[in-house]
Amino acid sequence: MQSSPLGNAVALKSQLDILTEAAGDAVFRLDANGIILSASTRALILISAINVISGHFLTEFVPEPDRAALAATIAQTLQSRQPAQIKVHIHTDAGVFWFELQLLAYLNPQLEPEMLVIGHDISLQKASEERLRHISTHDALTGLPNRSLASDRLQAAIMEAHRDASGFTLMVLDLDGFKKVNDALGYTAGDALLCIAAQRLHAVLHPGDMLARTDGNQFAVMLPNLVAPAEIYSLARSMISALQRPFEIQDRLLYVSASVGAACYPQHGETEAQLLAHAETALYCAKETGKARCIIYDQEKFNRPPHDVTLEAAMFEAVKNGEFLLHYQPIVDANTRQIVGFEALMRWQHPELGLVPPVRFIPMAENNGLINLLGAWALKTACIQIRQFEKAARRPLYVAVNVSPRQFRNDLFLQRLDDALDLSGLDGSQLLLEITEGILMSDPELAENLLTSIRARGVRIAIDDFGTGYSSLAYLKRFPISVLKIDRAFIKDVLTSPKDAAICSAIISLASHLNLSTVAEGVETRQQLDFIAAQGCGLIQGFYTGRPLDPATAIDLLQAQA
Ligand code: C2E
Ligand code: MG
Ligand code: MG
């Protein structure tokens, strides 16, 4: 057909019309401007504007963005006389159809350029392609975009935000307690719960937000813009509350909750992999520190340099090679300025990297379980060390040791605590265990039992980084806690920020009413110390009164002060 001589185009047109009609195709004859001169019956029926179709541009029936592409192809075909093909939508009174158009330019008997456009209806083929595409990009259960589509949208959002120098927010949400539902009531109940959960999440989001189901009980939410942390927390709270409402399934009321991690483009990652990894790190942290909460990725807190995988592998060797050590930071009486105790802070003396700080290896050890070994070692070493410090100081001192969530929940924890006290001969009252608020919130019953057993040994418990975690004050009443450590975040600007000052004095007053002592962490200046002491905070720990020291230096200091 394309190789037919173009001179007898009119005859060709009528033959072609018969053939194409038989094939159900629509044929248009256009002049050199792309205006319709005549059209086949199928084309007339299709566009159903029998009286007006002639004299119109073919492009008028094609909506944007296809219109511009078609106009360009018509012009190009007329000029080059090379046949061309293009797929377009055609708008008709009966609806919108997909057509594959063959364009064929020729000279008419008056030697004027004309063109035949043969349109083959591919709507059915397109619809089934679309159905297949939908199936492969959507979750069959909830109808939400699946992981693959979420990934495409994330990549598109990155490109758009990069182009516009803007940003967006990615949140990942994981259902807490979902496994229990699945285990107890089977997959049908689990599936029903997921469908309702998807609807509830959808209801709290805004029209432009993307909600996807990315894994069994994991969802992703992409907000098209960068929003303030307060808004992220507020949206997360709405999502969590929506999921905490009871689910009525199989005549039973079921309860779940959710944890959320968030990361923003570009500040928390510039690639899809980085953003996902960071949102998931934050999610993991939200789960570990109490669940039913949202954490936004924090570069400083979670910073994992690229060679961390190697670092993690090296860690197992390091345990065997004894590369871990403890430094001791003085804790000082705010009034007398005398050292009353030390906090043991772990360090890793890496053969090539030098002294690795705990923020880089404690989260890894918590992840891979090594924390149990390391924590037990730290507890024992610190108890032994403090006895030597006491000799140098010639007075009793106490030692504070950090305990991570996984270590605390380990069955052997109490056993290891007893071993450390027995081996060192340290009195329980000279040991302070520092835990975080999350430990108490994730499993309050277990925490209550354990803390009671710990207290029974005379050992005291401190809440570390107080005020930064899950802010439920009810636990101060429920658990046998002795010390609150005010987080450095509040001390840092205590002199310039009236809000931070108010928070510090409120914590100190709260603690004093509950008969708890307070330690101000991160005191770096004389003025901060004076302010905090004036508020009634009894103990100070910070660079101003002493940096973490290796044991030999600490002993020299104590001897000099003795
Ligand atoms: P933390 O328990 O809150 O310890 C206090 C951190 O604040 C220490 O950081 C200390 O060096 C730092 N610091 C103290 N005073 C100041 C100050 O005036 N200014 C500033 N900028 N920083 C100050 P470090 O040693 O890097 O430890 C970080 C965190 O790692 C600890 O926070 C604790 O959560 C964890 N960690 C350390 N040792 C252990 C351990 O043996 N076991 C566990 N589970 N965690 C540990
Ligand atoms: Mg601590
Ligand atoms: Mg702290």
Side-chain angles (χ1 to χ4, degrees), residues 343 345 402 434 436 463-466 468 485-488 521-522 541:
E343 175 173 4
L345 294 162
N402 293 284
E434 295 194 2
T436 50
I463 304 295
D464 203 354
D465 309 335
F466 183 76
T468 58
K485 297 193 77 172
I486 308 172
D487 193 73
R488 182 162 68 89
E521 291 190 290
Q541 178 183 350

Side-chain angles (χ1 to χ4, degrees), residues 408-421:
F408 186 74
R409 283 194 282 269
N410 188 281
D411 292 342
L412 293 176
F413 181 69
L414 279 180
Q415 176 69 55
R416 286 174 167 153
L417 175 64
D418 288 338
D419 289 350
L421 291 174

Side-chain angles (χ1 to χ4, degrees), residues 213-272:
R213 180 174 170 222
T214 46
D215 209 356
N217 59 341
Q218 203 172 87
F219 295 86
V221 174
M222 206 163 68
L223 312 178
N225 298 312
L226 258 192
V227 290
E231 267 183 73
I232 298 179
Y233 287 127
S234 147
L235 177 63
R237 261 197 308 278
S238 308
M239 293 197 286
I240 295 169
S241 312
L243 296 172
Q244 282 176 330
R245 292 203 315 270
F247 288 76
E248 199 180 332
I249 290 162
Q250 296 175 357
D251 294 330
R252 299 174 67 151
L253 288 183
L254 305 178
Y255 295 86
V256 294
S257 180
S259 301
V260 181
C264 304
Y265 176 93
Q267 62 265 51
H268 300 148
E270 295 191 359
T271 64
E272 183 194 357

Side-chain angles (χ1 to χ4, degrees), residues 158-169:
I158 290 173
M159 273 162 64
E160 198 181 310
H162 178 72
R163 192 193 59 215
D164 304 345
S166 62
F168 64 90
T169 306

Side-chain angles (χ1 to χ4, degrees), residues 41 82 278:
T41 321
Q82 293 296 318
H278 290 166

